[in-house]
Amino acid sequence: MMWLGDEESGDTSVINPSLLTTTAIVTGLVVTLGLGVMPSPLLDLAQSTATFLR
């Protein structure tokens, strides 16, 4: 983490993300890429749902 105060010690550490954090990032990446490459299934679903709700 970055702090604006003086450095207390000279030790630097790297924090590895937890499994939950990694899962959330990978899920978001897959959904974003999937919708970016093939948006038509989602758009078709939205169109049919909008017609159904009228």
Side-chain angles (χ1 to χ4, degrees), residues 26-38:
V26 169
T27 302
L29 178 69
V30 168
V31 169
T32 301
L33 289 176
L35 291 177
V37 172
M38 297 184 326

Side-chain angles (χ1 to χ4, degrees), residues 6 16 18 22 29 32-34 37 39 44 48:
D6 292 334
N16 292 325
S18 68
T22 304
L29 178 69
T32 301
L33 289 176
V37 172
D44 292 340
S48 65

Side-chain angles (χ1 to χ4, degrees), residues 1-38:
M1 297 188 82
M2 189 163 122
W3 302 97
L4 299 177
D6 292 334
E7 187 175 322
E8 296 285 328
S9 65
D11 296 336
T12 303
S13 64
V14 176
I15 300 172
N16 292 325
S18 68
L19 181 61
L20 185 61
T21 303
T22 304
T23 303
I25 292 172
V26 169
T27 302
L29 178 69
V30 168
V31 169
T32 301
L33 289 176
L35 291 177
V37 172
M38 297 184 326

